[in-house]
Amino acid sequence: MAYDYDDQNVFAKILRGEIPNSTVIETEHTLAFNDIAPQAPVHVLVIPKGPYVCHDHFVTAASDAEIVDFNRTVGRICADLGICPGDGGAGYRTISNSGADAVQEVPHFHLHILGGRPLGRMLERAD
Ligand code: AMP
């Protein structure tokens, strides 16, 4: 797999402390912060601290420790925000855009957690 990580992307700058962020949780391998242009009352971005371009890059190249830490952190955020359906929360959606067809804007793997309002159907057909 050939991925070239651009260390000048905005999330790399956030990880280096060159750009401020509204941190939700930070762990050994993972950082979560509020999206700068939220599309729902809850819009958190979860990123690994390692240099991974997109989701398939992360899950194939990252260590087990990074992958477990990332996923456990997603679970902790959803629980802390009270949006888990299993705990009486109203639910949420996770989205990860990878590459051109998905219109990925920032080439550092990130998971969007969206919630706090009804989110509608997953996709609107454009054709
Ligand atoms: P994507 O299209 O999946 O790559 O999403 C990139 C997301 O990053 C968008 O929702 C942006 O609003 C968000 N974003 C861009 N710059 C920042 C920033 N400095 N702090 C927080 N979120 C950002």
Side-chain angles (χ1 to χ4, degrees):
M1 184 184 308
Y3 279 117
D4 246 346
Y5 181 78
D6 169 16
D7 67 5
Q8 293 307 306
N9 78 74
V10 66
F11 294 169
K13 291 179 180 177
I14 284 175
L15 286 167
R16 289 195 297 268
E18 295 167 11
I19 293 178
N21 74 92
S22 165
T23 298
V24 174
I25 286 182
E26 181 169 6
T27 68
E28 183 181 359
H29 297 295
T30 307
L31 178 68
F33 51 91
N34 290 305
D35 197 291
I36 203 167
Q39 296 186 37
V42 170
H43 191 167
V44 176
L45 299 174
V46 190
I47 68 172
K49 291 182 175 177
Y52 305 107
V53 175
C54 61
H55 200 171
D56 63 276
H57 188 203
F58 177 63
V59 297
T60 52
S63 67
D64 289 358
E66 292 173 290
I67 292 170
V68 169
D69 184 80
F70 183 90
N71 283 294
R72 295 282 192 218
T73 301
V74 171
R76 189 172 146 197
I77 293 164
C78 293
D80 287 352
L81 292 172
I83 55 178
C84 299
D87 282 332
Y92 60 92
R93 180 171 294 152
T94 53
I95 297 174
S96 179
N97 297 313
S98 297
D101 274 3
V103 197
Q104 181 180 5
E105 290 174 359
V106 180
H108 180 113
F109 168 53
H110 51 283
L111 194 72
H112 298 255
I113 302 174
L114 295 149
R117 68 166 170 81
L119 295 165
R121 294 180 67 82
M122 185 171 65
L123 292 173
E124 297 295 331
R125 289 190 69 91
D127 53 4

